[in-house]
Amino acid sequence: IYTSGTTGPSKGCMLCHNAPIQNGVPALRAQGLSDAEALWMSLPLFHMAALSLLLGCLRLGARVIIASRFSVSGFWADIE
Protein backbone atom coordinates (compact mmCIF):
# COMPACT_ATOMS: atom_id res chain seq x y z
CA ILE A 1 0.00 0.00 0.00
CA TYR A 2 1.19 3.56 -0.55
CA THR A 3 1.46 6.34 2.02
CA SER A 4 -0.33 9.65 1.53
CA GLY A 5 2.93 11.50 0.99
CA THR A 6 2.53 14.00 3.81
CA THR A 7 6.33 14.22 4.24
CA GLY A 8 7.14 14.17 0.53
CA PRO A 9 6.31 11.87 -2.36
CA SER A 10 4.16 8.82 -1.67
CA LYS A 11 6.13 5.79 -0.55
CA GLY A 12 5.29 2.12 -0.83
CA CYS A 13 4.81 0.27 2.47
CA MET A 14 5.29 -3.47 2.70
CA LEU A 15 2.52 -5.24 4.61
CA CYS A 16 1.78 -8.91 4.99
CA HIS A 17 -1.53 -10.04 3.51
CA ASN A 18 -2.96 -10.61 6.98
CA ALA A 19 -2.28 -7.08 8.31
CA PRO A 20 -5.46 -5.38 7.01
CA ILE A 21 -7.60 -8.24 8.33
CA GLN A 22 -6.00 -8.03 11.76
CA ASN A 23 -6.54 -4.26 11.77
CA GLY A 24 -10.20 -4.47 10.77
CA VAL A 25 -11.52 -7.31 12.91
CA PRO A 26 -10.93 -5.67 16.33
CA ALA A 27 -12.44 -2.38 15.10
CA LEU A 28 -15.55 -4.13 13.86
CA ARG A 29 -15.89 -6.25 17.01
CA ALA A 30 -15.59 -3.09 19.14
CA GLN A 31 -18.58 -1.70 17.24
CA GLY A 32 -20.53 -4.89 17.92
CA LEU A 33 -20.74 -6.01 14.28
CA SER A 34 -21.92 -9.61 13.96
CA ASP A 35 -22.29 -11.97 11.03
CA ALA A 36 -26.03 -11.16 10.98
CA GLU A 37 -25.40 -7.51 10.12
CA ALA A 38 -24.04 -5.49 7.24
CA LEU A 39 -21.52 -2.66 7.07
CA TRP A 40 -22.30 0.22 4.68
CA MET A 41 -19.29 2.20 3.54
CA SER A 42 -18.40 4.76 0.92
CA LEU A 43 -14.67 4.89 1.59
CA PRO A 44 -12.34 4.60 -1.42
CA LEU A 45 -11.01 1.05 -1.65
CA PHE A 46 -7.43 2.26 -2.15
CA HIS A 47 -7.46 3.57 1.44
CA MET A 48 -6.17 1.38 4.26
CA ALA A 49 -9.26 2.01 6.43
CA ALA A 50 -11.58 0.74 3.68
CA LEU A 51 -9.39 -2.25 2.96
CA SER A 52 -9.22 -3.18 6.65
CA LEU A 53 -12.98 -2.87 7.15
CA LEU A 54 -13.78 -4.78 3.97
CA LEU A 55 -11.44 -7.68 4.76
CA GLY A 56 -12.44 -7.61 8.44
CA CYS A 57 -16.09 -8.04 7.46
CA LEU A 58 -15.22 -10.94 5.18
CA ARG A 59 -13.27 -12.56 8.02
CA LEU A 60 -16.21 -12.14 10.44
CA GLY A 61 -18.75 -13.33 7.88
CA ALA A 62 -20.62 -10.00 7.81
CA ARG A 63 -21.99 -8.45 4.63
CA VAL A 64 -20.47 -5.30 3.15
CA ILE A 65 -22.38 -2.77 1.08
CA ILE A 66 -19.98 -0.57 -0.89
CA ALA A 67 -21.54 2.69 -2.05
CA SER A 68 -20.17 4.16 -5.26
CA ARG A 69 -20.01 7.57 -3.59
CA PHE A 70 -21.29 9.35 -0.49
CA SER A 71 -24.43 11.44 -0.88
CA VAL A 72 -25.92 13.39 2.02
CA SER A 73 -29.35 13.53 0.37
CA GLY A 74 -29.35 9.84 -0.55
CA PHE A 75 -27.78 8.44 2.62
CA TRP A 76 -30.92 7.28 4.44
CA ALA A 77 -32.43 5.85 1.26
CA ASP A 78 -29.28 3.79 0.81
CA ILE A 79 -29.42 2.61 4.42
CA GLU A 80 -33.04 1.44 4.03
Side-chain angles (χ1 to χ4, degrees):
I1 197 157
Y2 284 89
T3 66
S4 61
T6 55
T7 61
S10 294
K11 300 164 200 70
C13 297
M14 297 289 291
L15 297 174
C16 67
H17 288 93
N18 198 30
I21 297 168
Q22 295 306 319
N23 289 336
V25 169
L28 294 167
R29 283 191 177 142
Q31 295 176 36
L33 187 78
S34 72
D35 61 353
E37 297 175 313
L39 176 77
W40 181 93
M41 70 175 184
S42 61
L43 298 168
L45 295 178
F46 61 80
H47 195 275
M48 189 64 187
L51 187 60
S52 293
L53 292 175
L54 173 67
L55 294 175
C57 281
L58 294 176
R59 173 66 178 89
L60 293 175
R63 292 179 301 143
V64 182
I65 295 98
I66 302 171
S68 59
R69 66 185 185 105
F70 179 75
S71 167
V72 172
S73 61
F75 175 75
W76 287 112
D78 284 352
I79 297 302
E80 282 184 22

Coordinates of all heavy atoms in Angstrom, one line a residue:
I1 N 0.9 -1.2 0.0 CA 0.0 0.0 0.0 C 0.9 1.2 0.0 O 2.0 1.1 0.4 CB -1.0 0.0 1.2 CG1 -2.1 0.9 1.0 CG2 -0.3 0.2 2.5 CD1 -3.3 0.6 1.8
Y2 N 0.4 2.3 -0.5 CA 1.2 3.6 -0.6 C 0.8 4.6 0.5 O -0.4 4.7 0.9 CB 1.1 4.2 -1.9 CG 1.9 3.5 -3.0 CD1 1.4 2.4 -3.7 CD2 3.2 3.9 -3.2 CE1 2.1 1.8 -4.6 CE2 4.0 3.2 -4.1 CZ 3.4 2.2 -4.8 OH 4.2 1.5 -5.7
T3 N 1.7 5.3 1.0 CA 1.5 6.3 2.0 C 0.8 7.5 1.3 O 0.8 7.6 0.1 CB 2.7 6.8 2.7 OG1 3.6 7.5 1.8 CG2 3.5 5.6 3.3
S4 N 0.3 8.5 2.1 CA -0.3 9.6 1.5 C 0.7 10.7 1.1 O 0.3 11.6 0.4 CB -1.3 10.3 2.6 OG -0.5 10.7 3.7
G5 N 1.9 10.6 1.4 CA 2.9 11.5 1.0 C 2.9 12.8 1.8 O 3.3 13.8 1.2
T6 N 2.6 12.8 3.0 CA 2.5 14.0 3.8 C 3.9 14.6 4.1 O 4.1 15.8 4.3 CB 1.8 13.8 5.2 OG1 2.4 12.7 5.8 CG2 0.3 13.5 4.9
T7 N 5.0 13.7 4.0 CA 6.3 14.2 4.2 C 7.1 14.2 3.0 O 8.4 14.3 3.0 CB 7.0 13.3 5.3 OG1 7.1 12.0 4.8 CG2 6.3 13.3 6.6
G8 N 6.5 14.2 1.8 CA 7.1 14.2 0.5 C 6.3 13.3 -0.4 O 5.2 13.1 -0.2
P9 N 7.0 12.8 -1.4 CA 6.3 11.9 -2.4 C 5.8 10.6 -1.7 O 6.3 10.2 -0.6 CB 7.4 11.5 -3.4 CG 8.5 12.5 -3.2 CD 8.4 13.0 -1.8
S10 N 4.7 10.1 -2.2 CA 4.2 8.8 -1.7 C 5.2 7.7 -1.7 O 6.0 7.7 -2.6 CB 3.0 8.4 -2.5 OG 1.9 9.3 -2.4
K11 N 5.2 6.9 -0.7 CA 6.1 5.8 -0.6 C 5.4 4.5 -0.4 O 4.3 4.4 0.2 CB 7.0 6.0 0.7 CG 7.8 7.3 0.6 CD 8.4 7.6 2.0 CE 8.7 9.0 2.2 NZ 7.6 9.9 2.2
G12 N 5.9 3.4 -1.0 CA 5.3 2.1 -0.8 C 5.6 1.5 0.5 O 6.7 1.6 1.0
C13 N 4.6 0.9 1.2 CA 4.8 0.3 2.5 C 4.5 -1.2 2.3 O 3.5 -1.6 1.8 CB 3.8 0.8 3.5 SG 4.1 2.5 3.9
M14 N 5.5 -2.0 2.8 CA 5.3 -3.5 2.7 C 4.4 -3.9 3.9 O 4.8 -3.6 5.0 CB 6.6 -4.2 2.7 CG 7.6 -3.8 1.6 SD 7.0 -4.6 0.0 CE 7.3 -6.3 0.4
L15 N 3.4 -4.7 3.6 CA 2.5 -5.2 4.6 C 2.3 -6.7 4.3 O 2.2 -7.1 3.1 CB 1.1 -4.6 4.6 CG 1.1 -3.1 5.0 CD1 -0.3 -2.6 4.8 CD2 1.5 -2.9 6.4
C16 N 2.2 -7.5 5.3 CA 1.8 -8.9 5.0 C 0.3 -8.9 4.6 O -0.4 -8.0 4.9 CB 2.1 -9.8 6.2 SG 1.0 -9.5 7.6
H17 N -0.1 -10.0 4.0 CA -1.5 -10.0 3.5 C -2.5 -10.1 4.7 O -3.7 -9.7 4.5 CB -1.7 -11.3 2.7 CG -1.1 -11.2 1.3 ND1 0.2 -11.6 1.1 CD2 -1.5 -10.7 0.2 CE1 0.5 -11.4 -0.2 NE2 -0.5 -10.8 -0.8
N18 N -2.1 -10.5 5.8 CA -3.0 -10.6 7.0 C -3.1 -9.3 7.7 O -4.0 -9.2 8.5 CB -2.4 -11.7 7.9 CG -3.5 -12.2 8.9 OD1 -4.6 -12.2 8.6 ND2 -3.0 -12.6 10.0
A19 N -2.3 -8.3 7.5 CA -2.3 -7.1 8.3 C -3.6 -6.3 8.2 O -4.2 -5.9 9.3 CB -1.1 -6.2 7.9
P20 N -4.2 -6.1 7.0 CA -5.5 -5.4 7.0 C -6.6 -6.1 7.7 O -7.4 -5.5 8.4 CB -5.8 -5.3 5.5 CG -4.5 -5.4 4.8 CD -3.7 -6.3 5.7
I21 N -6.6 -7.4 7.6 CA -7.6 -8.2 8.3 C -7.5 -8.1 9.8 O -8.4 -7.8 10.6 CB -7.5 -9.7 7.9 CG1 -7.8 -9.9 6.4 CG2 -8.5 -10.6 8.8 CD1 -7.4 -11.3 5.9
Q22 N -6.2 -8.2 10.3 CA -6.0 -8.0 11.8 C -6.2 -6.6 12.3 O -6.4 -6.4 13.5 CB -4.6 -8.5 12.1 CG -4.4 -10.0 11.9 CD -5.4 -10.8 12.6 OE1 -5.8 -10.6 13.7 NE2 -5.9 -11.9 11.9
N23 N -6.2 -5.6 11.4 CA -6.5 -4.3 11.8 C -8.0 -4.1 11.8 O -8.6 -3.4 12.7 CB -6.0 -3.2 10.8 CG -4.5 -3.1 10.9 OD1 -3.9 -3.4 11.9 ND2 -3.8 -2.7 9.8
G24 N -8.8 -4.7 10.9 CA -10.2 -4.5 10.8 C -11.0 -5.2 11.7 O -12.0 -4.7 12.3
V25 N -10.7 -6.5 12.0 CA -11.5 -7.3 12.9 C -11.7 -6.7 14.3 O -12.9 -6.6 14.8 CB -11.0 -8.8 13.0 CG1 -11.6 -9.6 14.1 CG2 -11.1 -9.4 11.6
P26 N -10.7 -6.3 15.0 CA -10.9 -5.7 16.3 C -11.8 -4.4 16.3 O -12.6 -4.2 17.1 CB -9.5 -5.3 16.9 CG -8.6 -6.2 16.1 CD -9.3 -6.4 14.7
A27 N -11.6 -3.6 15.2 CA -12.4 -2.4 15.1 C -13.9 -2.7 14.9 O -14.8 -2.1 15.5 CB -11.9 -1.5 13.9
L28 N -14.2 -3.7 14.1 CA -15.5 -4.1 13.9 C -16.2 -4.8 15.1 O -17.3 -4.6 15.4 CB -15.6 -5.1 12.6 CG -15.2 -4.4 11.3 CD1 -15.0 -5.4 10.3 CD2 -16.3 -3.4 10.9
R29 N -15.4 -5.6 15.8 CA -15.9 -6.2 17.0 C -16.2 -5.2 18.1 O -17.2 -5.3 18.8 CB -14.9 -7.3 17.5 CG -14.9 -8.5 16.7 CD -14.1 -9.6 17.4 NE -14.3 -10.9 16.7 CZ -13.3 -11.7 16.5 NH1 -12.1 -11.5 17.0 NH2 -13.5 -12.8 15.8
A30 N -15.4 -4.2 18.2 CA -15.6 -3.1 19.1 C -16.9 -2.4 18.9 O -17.5 -1.8 19.8 CB -14.4 -2.1 19.1
Q31 N -17.3 -2.3 17.6 CA -18.6 -1.7 17.2 C -19.8 -2.7 17.4 O -20.9 -2.3 17.2 CB -18.5 -1.2 15.8 CG -17.5 -0.1 15.6 CD -17.4 0.3 14.1 OE1 -18.4 0.3 13.4 NE2 -16.2 0.6 13.7
G32 N -19.5 -3.9 17.7 CA -20.5 -4.9 17.9 C -21.1 -5.5 16.6 O -22.1 -6.1 16.6
L33 N -20.3 -5.4 15.5 CA -20.7 -6.0 14.3 C -20.7 -7.5 14.4 O -19.8 -8.1 14.8 CB -19.8 -5.6 13.1 CG -20.3 -6.0 11.7 CD1 -21.4 -5.0 11.3 CD2 -19.2 -5.9 10.8
S34 N -21.8 -8.1 14.0 CA -21.9 -9.6 14.0 C -22.1 -10.1 12.5 O -22.3 -9.3 11.6 CB -23.1 -10.1 14.8 OG -24.3 -9.8 14.2
D35 N -22.1 -11.4 12.4 CA -22.3 -12.0 11.0 C -23.7 -11.8 10.5 O -24.0 -12.0 9.4 CB -21.9 -13.4 11.0 CG -22.6 -14.3 11.9 OD1 -23.5 -13.8 12.7 OD2 -22.4 -15.5 11.9
A36 N -24.6 -11.4 11.4 CA -26.0 -11.2 11.0 C -26.3 -9.7 10.5 O -27.4 -9.4 10.1 CB -27.0 -11.4 12.2
E37 N -25.2 -8.9 10.5 CA -25.4 -7.5 10.1 C -24.6 -7.2 8.9 O -23.9 -8.0 8.3 CB -24.9 -6.6 11.3 CG -25.8 -6.8 12.5 CD -25.3 -6.0 13.7 OE1 -24.1 -6.1 14.0 OE2 -26.1 -5.4 14.3
A38 N -24.8 -6.0 8.4 CA -24.0 -5.5 7.2 C -23.4 -4.1 7.6 O -23.9 -3.4 8.3 CB -25.0 -5.3 6.1
L39 N -22.2 -3.9 6.9 CA -21.5 -2.7 7.1 C -21.7 -1.9 5.8 O -21.4 -2.4 4.7 CB -20.0 -2.9 7.3 CG -19.2 -1.6 7.4 CD1 -19.4 -0.9 8.7 CD2 -17.7 -2.0 7.2
W40 N -22.2 -0.7 5.8 CA -22.3 0.2 4.7 C -21.1 1.1 4.7 O -20.8 1.7 5.7 CB -23.6 1.0 4.8 CG -23.8 1.9 3.6 CD1 -24.5 1.6 2.5 CD2 -23.4 3.3 3.5 NE1 -24.5 2.7 1.6 CE2 -23.8 3.8 2.2 CE3 -22.6 4.1 4.3 CZ2 -23.6 5.0 1.8 CZ3 -22.4 5.4 3.8 CH2 -22.8 5.9 2.6
M41 N -20.4 1.3 3.6 CA -19.3 2.2 3.5 C -19.2 2.8 2.2 O -19.5 2.2 1.2 CB -18.0 1.5 4.0 CG -17.4 0.5 3.0 SD -15.8 0.0 3.7 CE -15.3 -1.1 2.4
S42 N -18.6 4.0 2.2 CA -18.4 4.8 0.9 C -16.9 5.2 0.8 O -16.6 6.1 0.1 CB -19.3 6.0 0.8 OG -19.1 6.9 1.9
L43 N -16.1 4.6 1.6 CA -14.7 4.9 1.6 C -14.0 4.4 0.3 O -14.4 3.4 -0.2 CB -14.0 4.2 2.8 CG -14.4 4.7 4.2 CD1 -13.8 3.7 5.2 CD2 -13.9 6.1 4.4
P44 N -13.0 5.1 -0.2 CA -12.3 4.6 -1.4 C -11.5 3.3 -1.1 O -10.8 3.3 -0.1 CB -11.4 5.8 -1.8 CG -11.3 6.6 -0.6 CD -12.5 6.4 0.3
L45 N -11.6 2.3 -1.9 CA -11.0 1.1 -1.6 C -9.5 1.1 -1.7 O -8.8 0.1 -1.4 CB -11.6 0.0 -2.6 CG -13.1 -0.3 -2.3 CD1 -13.6 -1.4 -3.3 CD2 -13.3 -0.7 -0.9
F46 N -8.9 2.2 -2.2 CA -7.4 2.3 -2.2 C -6.9 2.7 -0.8 O -5.7 2.7 -0.5 CB -6.9 3.2 -3.2 CG -7.4 4.6 -3.1 CD1 -6.8 5.5 -2.2 CD2 -8.4 5.1 -3.9 CE1 -7.2 6.8 -2.1 CE2 -8.9 6.4 -3.8 CZ -8.3 7.2 -2.9
H47 N -7.8 3.1 0.1 CA -7.5 3.6 1.4 C -7.4 2.4 2.4 O -8.2 1.5 2.4 CB -8.5 4.6 1.9 CG -8.0 5.4 3.1 ND1 -8.2 4.9 4.4 CD2 -7.5 6.6 3.1 CE1 -7.7 5.9 5.2 NE2 -7.2 6.9 4.5
M48 N -6.4 2.5 3.3 CA -6.2 1.4 4.3 C -7.4 1.1 5.2 O -7.7 0.0 5.5 CB -4.9 1.7 5.1 CG -4.5 0.6 5.9 SD -3.9 -0.8 4.9 CE -3.7 -2.0 6.1
A49 N -8.1 2.2 5.6 CA -9.3 2.0 6.4 C -10.3 1.2 5.7 O -10.9 0.3 6.3 CB -9.8 3.4 6.8
A50 N -10.6 1.5 4.4 CA -11.6 0.7 3.7 C -11.1 -0.7 3.5 O -12.0 -1.6 3.7 CB -11.8 1.4 2.3
L51 N -9.9 -0.9 3.2 CA -9.4 -2.3 3.0 C -9.5 -3.1 4.2 O -9.9 -4.2 4.2 CB -7.9 -2.2 2.5 CG -7.3 -3.5 2.1 CD1 -8.0 -4.1 0.9 CD2 -5.8 -3.2 1.7
S52 N -9.2 -2.5 5.4 CA -9.2 -3.2 6.7 C -10.7 -3.5 7.0 O -10.9 -4.6 7.5 CB -8.6 -2.3 7.8 OG -7.2 -2.2 7.6
L53 N -11.6 -2.6 6.8 CA -13.0 -2.9 7.1 C -13.6 -3.9 6.2 O -14.3 -4.8 6.7 CB -13.8 -1.6 7.1 CG -13.5 -0.6 8.2 CD1 -14.3 0.7 8.0 CD2 -13.7 -1.1 9.6
L54 N -13.3 -3.8 4.9 CA -13.8 -4.8 4.0 C -13.3 -6.2 4.3 O -14.1 -7.1 4.4 CB -13.4 -4.4 2.6 CG -13.7 -5.4 1.5 CD1 -15.2 -5.5 1.3 CD2 -13.0 -5.0 0.2
L55 N -12.0 -6.4 4.5 CA -11.4 -7.7 4.8 C -11.8 -8.2 6.1 O -12.0 -9.4 6.4 CB -9.9 -7.7 4.6 CG -9.4 -7.4 3.2 CD1 -7.9 -7.3 3.1 CD2 -9.9 -8.5 2.2
G56 N -12.0 -7.2 7.1 CA -12.4 -7.6 8.4 C -13.8 -8.2 8.4 O -14.2 -9.2 9.1
C57 N -14.7 -7.5 7.6 CA -16.1 -8.0 7.5 C -16.1 -9.4 6.8 O -16.8 -10.3 7.3 CB -16.9 -7.1 6.6 SG -17.5 -5.7 7.5
L58 N -15.3 -9.6 5.8 CA -15.2 -10.9 5.2 C -14.7 -12.0 6.2 O -15.2 -13.1 6.2 CB -14.3 -10.9 4.0 CG -14.8 -10.0 2.8 CD1 -13.7 -10.0 1.7 CD2 -16.1 -10.5 2.3
R59 N -13.8 -11.6 7.0 CA -13.3 -12.6 8.0 C -14.3 -12.9 9.1 O -14.5 -14.1 9.5 CB -12.1 -11.9 8.7 CG -11.5 -12.7 9.9 CD -10.9 -14.1 9.4 NE -10.4 -14.8 10.5 CZ -11.1 -15.6 11.3 NH1 -12.3 -15.9 11.1 NH2 -10.4 -16.3 12.3
L60 N -15.2 -11.9 9.4 CA -16.2 -12.1 10.4 C -17.5 -12.8 9.8 O -18.4 -13.2 10.6 CB -16.6 -10.8 11.1 CG -15.5 -10.2 12.0 CD1 -15.9 -8.9 12.5 CD2 -15.2 -11.1 13.2
G61 N -17.6 -12.8 8.5 CA -18.8 -13.3 7.9 C -19.9 -12.3 7.7 O -21.0 -12.7 7.4
A62 N -19.6 -11.0 7.9 CA -20.6 -10.0 7.8 C -20.7 -9.5 6.4 O -19.7 -9.7 5.6 CB -20.3 -8.8 8.7
R63 N -21.8 -9.0 6.0 CA -22.0 -8.5 4.6 C -21.4 -7.0 4.6 O -21.4 -6.3 5.6 CB -23.5 -8.4 4.2 CG -24.1 -9.8 4.1 CD -25.5 -9.7 3.7 NE -26.3 -9.0 4.8 CZ -27.3 -8.2 4.5 NH1 -27.7 -8.0 3.3 NH2 -27.9 -7.6 5.5
V64 N -21.0 -6.6 3.4 CA -20.5 -5.3 3.1 C -21.2 -4.7 2.0 O -21.3 -5.3 0.9 CB -19.0 -5.3 2.8 CG1 -18.5 -3.9 2.6 CG2 -18.2 -6.0 3.9
I65 N -21.8 -3.5 2.2 CA -22.4 -2.8 1.1 C -21.4 -1.6 0.7 O -21.2 -0.8 1.6 CB -23.8 -2.2 1.4 CG1 -24.7 -3.4 1.7 CG2 -24.3 -1.3 0.4 CD1 -24.9 -3.7 3.1
I66 N -20.9 -1.6 -0.5 CA -20.0 -0.6 -0.9 C -20.7 0.4 -1.8 O -21.1 0.1 -2.9 CB -18.8 -1.2 -1.6 CG1 -18.1 -2.2 -0.7 CG2 -17.8 -0.1 -2.1 CD1 -17.0 -3.0 -1.4
A67 N -20.9 1.6 -1.3 CA -21.5 2.7 -2.0 C -20.6 3.3 -3.1 O -19.4 3.4 -2.8 CB -22.0 3.8 -1.1
S68 N -21.1 3.6 -4.2 CA -20.2 4.2 -5.3 C -19.6 5.5 -4.9 O -18.6 5.9 -5.3 CB -20.9 4.2 -6.6 OG -22.0 5.0 -6.5
R69 N -20.4 6.3 -4.1 CA -20.0 7.6 -3.6 C -20.9 8.0 -2.4 O -22.0 7.4 -2.3 CB -20.0 8.6 -4.7 CG -21.4 9.0 -5.2 CD -21.3 10.0 -6.3 NE -22.7 10.3 -6.7 CZ -23.3 11.5 -6.4 NH1 -22.6 12.4 -5.8 NH2 -24.5 11.7 -6.8
F70 N -20.5 8.9 -1.6 CA -21.3 9.4 -0.5 C -22.2 10.5 -1.0 O -21.8 11.4 -1.7 CB -20.4 9.8 0.7 CG -21.2 10.3 1.8 CD1 -21.9 9.5 2.7 CD2 -21.4 11.7 2.0 CE1 -22.6 9.9 3.7 CE2 -22.1 12.2 3.1 CZ -22.8 11.3 3.9
S71 N -23.5 10.4 -0.6 CA -24.4 11.4 -0.9 C -25.2 11.8 0.4 O -25.9 10.9 0.9 CB -25.4 11.0 -2.0 OG -26.5 11.8 -2.1
V72 N -25.2 13.0 0.8 CA -25.9 13.4 2.0 C -27.4 13.2 1.8 O -28.1 12.6 2.6 CB -25.6 14.9 2.4 CG1 -26.5 15.3 3.5 CG2 -24.2 15.0 2.8
S73 N -27.9 13.6 0.6 CA -29.3 13.5 0.4 C -29.8 12.1 0.2 O -31.0 11.8 0.4 CB -29.7 14.4 -0.8 OG -29.0 13.9 -2.0
G74 N -29.0 11.2 -0.3 CA -29.4 9.8 -0.6 C -28.9 8.8 0.5 O -29.2 7.7 0.4
F75 N -28.3 9.3 1.6 CA -27.8 8.4 2.6 C -28.8 7.5 3.2 O -28.7 6.3 3.2 CB -27.1 9.2 3.7 CG -26.6 8.4 4.9 CD1 -25.5 7.6 4.7 CD2 -27.3 8.4 6.1 CE1 -25.0 6.8 5.7 CE2 -26.8 7.6 7.1 CZ -25.7 6.8 6.9
W76 N -29.9 8.1 3.7 CA -30.9 7.3 4.4 C -31.7 6.3 3.5 O -32.0 5.2 3.9 CB -31.9 8.1 5.2 CG -31.2 8.7 6.5 CD1 -30.9 10.0 6.7 CD2 -30.7 7.9 7.6 NE1 -30.2 10.1 7.9 CE2 -30.1 8.9 8.4 CE3 -30.7 6.6 7.9 CZ2 -29.5 8.5 9.6 CZ3 -30.1 6.2 9.1 CH2 -29.5 7.1 9.9
A77 N -31.8 6.7 2.2 CA -32.4 5.9 1.3 C -31.5 4.7 1.0 O -32.0 3.5 0.9 CB -32.7 6.6 -0.1
D78 N -30.2 4.9 1.0 CA -29.3 3.8 0.8 C -29.3 2.9 2.0 O -29.3 1.6 1.9 CB -27.8 4.3 0.7 CG -27.6 4.9 -0.7 OD1 -28.4 4.7 -1.6 OD2 -26.5 5.5 -0.9
I79 N -29.4 3.4 3.2 CA -29.4 2.6 4.4 C -30.7 1.7 4.5 O -30.6 0.6 4.9 CB -29.3 3.5 5.7 CG1 -28.0 4.3 5.7 CG2 -29.5 2.7 7.0 CD1 -26.8 3.4 5.6
E80 N -31.8 2.3 4.1 CA -33.0 1.4 4.0 C -32.9 0.3 3.1 O -33.3 -0.8 3.3 CB -34.2 2.3 3.6 CG -34.8 3.2 4.7 CD -36.0 3.9 4.3 OE1 -36.7 3.5 3.3 OE2 -36.3 5.0 4.9

